[in-house]
Amino acid sequence: MRESLRDRCREVADRLDRDHPLTKDEMEQVARQMLVEADLPEGFLGWTMVNISSAFWRHQLSSVPPERRLFLLPHCLKHAEGCPADYDQFGMNCKQCGACSIADFRSIAEEMGYRVLVAEGSPVVMKIIVGGYVDAVVGVACLNVLEKAIDKVLLAGIPCMAVPLLSSDCRNTKVDEPWVEEMIRTPYVPAKAKTRSYVHLMRAAGQLFSRDTLHRLAPPLRGLGLADPKDHATDRPASISQDAGVDGAVQRLQGSAPDHAADAITPGQLAGVDPIAATEAIAYDFLARGGKHSRPFITLAAYDAATGGEATCSDGEIKASEVPDAVRRAALSIETFHKASLVHDDIEDDDAYRYGQPAVHHRFGIASAINVGDYLIGLGYRLLSRDMVGDQVDPATRVDLLDSLAAAHVRLSEGQGAELLWRDAKDRRLQPIDALKIYALKTSPAFEAALYSGVRIAGDASELVEPIRRFSRNLGVAFQIINDLNDWIGDDSNKLTAGADVIAGRPTLLWALALQHLDEADQETLLGLATDECDMSVRERLRTAESLYRKAGVFDLSLQLVDKHQARAEQVADELESEPLRRLFYFLVDTVLERPEMPTPATVTLSAAMPVA
């Protein structure tokens, strides 16, 4: 039955338009129609989508040389009893003992030249691709992992093929082994990629923060002052130095042991450095590490879309490399403001970590951290305020860019100020509309400035000012709501503690919705959790808050508001005349508004013998 279904998936995929990657919703519509025609149940939907996606990409994947492909394997294929391999945060260091199919598969893959990583649902895969190490992925994983990953794969335009495990057990599971071997042996057939992809622009955004590019676009005034530039992360592309997990995984792919070069610089490393140069060194180190570089990507992609969208085509790597330095400096400027706000936010919220490293104020003290944030703001304006060699921008454009950044900076400060005043007030009551106003001020301006900067450098953007503003407002609000929901799942890179917003007393939509939908007694209980007089332990406070949130239905209500603002953003995209800009807006909606992981419904096992109509 699985063979028959897979054949159907290939037939369907071969009829799809390959010029543009499908969204997850579009893929779901195709899969549902296929199941209806085959008279098969809803439970097969995820499996069918994964196989249609694999079939869709198989021709483009064959155009990628094996040495530029990543083969991803799950550790649950190993035999749990007697397996000699160690499993750490970087994945399983398989010793190829031959006791399980992992060794067989990786031997075939390595013989062909693949890079191999054994790590179930590894979060580093996208970063490895954006970092420029591989151009395609083949993999094996449990179905629920593949269902979650399919959206990113489809949207980014990354050639990817996968075979789902036959069960989602965590040990000694099984897979259709002939399918895996067939997938690995996909022959290399040189050809131009046809499906549009944003990968090259993502890589260009990440490359802005490599040591050489960063120093060329924003030359340090003090030479950084460090005796050994390899002592800090700016010596390597930020896309592979964001945290120990990424660093270790990449080095394992390269066949070397992980090192600790990605650690943030410390006061000890500044010993003997000219004190005047120290602020610059700390600022450049923080600028170069961590984050998804989504704002710089938006600026580069907006410029590309406004000039025809050629960087998403088959020769996208060449076109992305031809983006003018003026655009790159504008993109870099957006990130300096963002990083400055993070330094200051961490101080104001007393967050202990950022990007898996101790926050700047925990390493150097509050006063020095404030100064580093101020330095980054100055650097951001310096990047846009004057001409540099090969970077001539007409005065009117430069004034518009500076005005846009200044307006974004002011609105961000207004939103943050409103949040701080509420946090420090005795009355913690909050209306949902007030929370949404704070979100619009804090989060939306960065998206707006990033989009506007790209299209303004490309030419006259007067007709796009209002659409960009409306789109960014709705995108930013929806993004911040999702960020609140993620706070209850935990964020390994930043907060590290689920429910931190309640403990810190931050004004969130979840809090406002709970107060709106709880009875008076429960409202008082919730309000008491954020007072200094609360004698509950942190665990008890979080448990009580979550119980009240669920009682008020705030998680579902919040997701409904996300859907509402997403629909408004999509409406703005629909009204755009430019097809490349419209495509970019939809890409941003689908990638920025990534919903928190929800429990997956039970599915029908495909091992049952059922006829295919």
Side-chain angles (χ1 to χ4, degrees):
M1 179 189 178
R2 292 195 298 274
E3 290 282 1
S4 179
L5 269 177
R6 189 174 68 148
D7 289 343
R8 283 179 178 272
C9 290
R10 289 183 173 180
E11 292 173 5
V12 169
D14 286 341
R15 297 197 299 266
L16 298 175
D17 178 11
R18 298 185 183 279
D19 287 342
H20 307 291
L22 298 179
T23 66
K24 188 174 183 179
D25 289 341
E26 291 170 335
M27 185 67 74
E28 182 176 334
Q29 292 176 10
V30 172
R32 284 187 184 280
Q33 181 60 35
M34 178 180 153
L35 292 176
V36 169
E37 293 173 356
D39 194 23
L40 291 172
E42 171 83 9
F44 292 178
L45 181 63
W47 190 92
T48 304
M49 290 174 64
V50 169
N51 279 273
I52 291 176
S53 177
S54 294
F56 179 88
W57 288 110
R58 72 185 190 280
H59 297 299
Q60 188 160 323
L61 188 140
S62 68
S63 69
V64 178
E67 60 270 19
R68 296 290 300 171
R69 302 177 191 172
L70 172 66
F71 182 41
L72 184 65
L73 277 165
H75 63 87
C76 57
L77 271 175
K78 74 175 184 177
H79 286 288
E81 293 78 17
C83 177
D86 298 322
Y87 189 80
D88 55 27
Q89 67 266 38
F90 311 125
M92 191 169 78
N93 192 8
C94 179
K95 295 179 170 58
Q96 298 185 345
C97 64
C100 69
S101 55
I102 289 180
D104 297 332
F105 292 148
R106 75 177 298 159
S107 293
I108 297 171
E110 289 177 344
E111 186 176 311
M112 292 184 65
Y114 282 75
R115 303 192 181 203
V116 181
L117 185 64
V118 183
E120 177 72 61
S122 174
V124 305
V125 174
M126 189 69 176
K127 295 174 183 177
I128 290 171
I129 291 172
V130 173
Y133 291 90
V134 297
D135 296 319
V137 179
V138 298
V140 179
C142 55
L143 182 58
N144 66 323
V145 169
L146 293 175
E147 288 176 312
K148 293 169 187 173
I150 194 172
D151 207 12
K152 293 181 180 178
V153 171
L154 289 171
L155 287 168
I158 303 165
C160 180
M161 295 174 65
V163 176
L165 295 169
L166 296 181
S167 68
S168 295
D169 299 329
C170 291
R171 43 194 282 156
N172 297 336
T173 188
K174 296 180 180 179
V175 69
D176 285 302
E177 296 189 5
W179 292 13
V180 179
E181 183 170 344
E182 177 188 341
M183 178 179 66
I184 299 171
R185 295 188 184 279
T186 299
Y188 171 48
V189 182
K192 275 194 172 184
K194 186 176 182 181
T195 307
R196 288 184 178 272
S197 170
Y198 285 101
V199 169
H200 296 302
L201 287 166
M202 292 178 183
R203 289 177 177 172
Q207 187 59 32
L208 292 175
F209 303 92
S210 69
R211 180 183 176 85
D212 290 345
T213 304
L214 178 60
H215 289 192
R216 181 177 66 80
L217 295 173
L221 301 179
R222 307 294 177 181
L224 296 184
L226 294 176
D228 183 0
K230 293 185 179 181
D231 284 342
H232 56 91
T234 51
D235 189 50
R236 292 178 298 159
S239 54
I240 63 166
S241 63
Q242 291 166 3
D243 54 59
V246 178
D247 222 35
V250 170
Q251 291 185 49
R252 176 160 294 169
L253 288 174
Q254 295 173 323
S256 60
D259 61 25
H260 302 286
D263 289 345
I265 61 175
T266 62
Q269 288 174 276
L270 296 177
V273 171
D274 180 355
I276 296 178
T279 297
E280 181 180 70
I282 300 169
Y284 272 69
D285 174 76
F286 186 68
L287 179 60
R289 73 174 58 254
K292 299 176 182 178
H293 303 132
S294 56
R295 293 159 187 83
F297 161 76
I298 290 173
T299 299
L300 299 181
Y303 173 83
D304 175 66
T307 53
E310 295 184 353
T312 62
C313 297
S314 58
D315 55 351
E317 183 175 6
I318 296 174
K319 297 300 182 182
S321 68
E322 295 173 351
V323 172
D325 277 352
V327 183
R328 298 177 191 274
R329 288 194 173 90
L332 194 57
S333 175
I334 301 288
E335 189 73 356
T336 62
F337 286 108
H338 173 60
K339 288 294 180 70
S341 73
L342 294 183
V343 174
H344 291 161
D345 280 357
D346 287 345
I347 295 169
E348 292 159 352
D349 298 335
D350 196 22
D351 285 327
Y353 292 93
R354 177 66 63 177
Y355 306 130
Q357 302 278 354
V360 175
H361 69 285
H362 276 268
R363 283 182 282 136
F364 297 97
I366 291 176
S368 292
I370 292 174
N371 192 55
V372 167
D374 292 343
Y375 179 94
L376 286 168
I377 293 170
L379 177 60
Y381 283 117
R382 182 163 67 91
L383 283 163
L384 292 176
S385 63
R386 57 183 179 177
D387 283 329
M388 300 183 73
V389 177
D391 182 20
Q392 283 69 37
V393 176
D394 67 87
T397 299
R398 194 175 298 281
V399 168
D400 284 349
L401 293 178
L402 287 169
D403 183 66
S404 174
L405 265 294
H409 195 177
V410 168
R411 296 205 302 277
L412 169 65
S413 299
E414 289 174 338
Q416 181 69 359
E419 177 178 305
L420 294 174
L421 286 172
W422 182 90
R423 186 192 70 181
D424 297 334
K426 293 183 179 180
D427 184 3
R428 295 299 179 86
R429 294 187 180 275
L430 180 70
Q431 294 296 320
I433 186 64
D434 293 323
L436 294 175
K437 287 179 180 178
I438 292 175
Y439 290 0
L441 287 169
K442 280 196 61 176
T443 309
S444 302
F447 291 119
E448 182 179 339
L451 280 168
Y452 180 78
S453 295
V455 299
R456 182 63 183 90
I457 297 177
D460 181 18
S462 56
E463 294 183 359
L464 291 171
V465 171
E466 186 56 30
I468 286 175
R469 179 169 295 134
R470 286 192 290 125
F471 176 82
S472 300
R473 179 184 178 86
N474 286 289
L475 185 72
V477 169
F479 171 79
Q480 192 59 50
I481 296 173
I482 291 174
N483 192 57
D484 287 351
L485 292 169
N486 282 327
D487 182 59
W488 286 92
I489 297 173
D491 183 343
D492 292 339
S493 296
N494 295 323
K495 309 294 186 197
L496 300 176
T497 303
D501 284 343
V502 169
I503 303 303
R506 299 186 185 97
T508 68
L509 179 68
L510 303 182
W511 181 272
L513 288 172
L515 290 174
Q516 186 180 64
H517 291 87
L518 290 172
D519 60 33
E520 188 172 343
D522 285 334
Q523 288 180 36
E524 292 302 323
T525 300
L526 183 62
L527 290 168
L529 298 177
T531 64
D532 295 335
E533 293 76 25
C534 182
D535 58 1
M536 292 184 186
S537 67
V538 170
R539 185 179 298 274
E540 289 173 327
R541 291 163 70 184
L542 291 177
R543 187 183 297 117
T544 302
E546 182 176 5
S547 176
L548 292 171
Y549 278 8
R550 293 194 180 282
K551 185 176 181 179
V554 300
F555 298 121
D556 289 337
L557 290 170
S558 296
L559 286 173
Q560 290 173 19
L561 283 171
V562 171
D563 292 338
K564 176 181 176 180
H565 285 282
Q566 176 173 334
R568 289 177 176 176
E570 290 173 345
Q571 182 180 358
V572 175
D574 290 338
E575 296 169 355
L576 292 174
E577 293 183 6
S578 167
E579 193 275 334
L581 271 176
R582 184 165 59 251
R583 187 171 65 248
L584 174 61
F585 276 30
Y586 264 99
F587 177 79
L588 294 176
V589 167
D590 290 330
T591 52
V592 171
L593 304 185
E594 183 180 355
R595 294 337 191 244
E597 294 182 5
M598 298 297 179
T600 54
T603 56
V604 180
T605 176
L606 280 170
S607 59
M610 293 179 62
V612 178

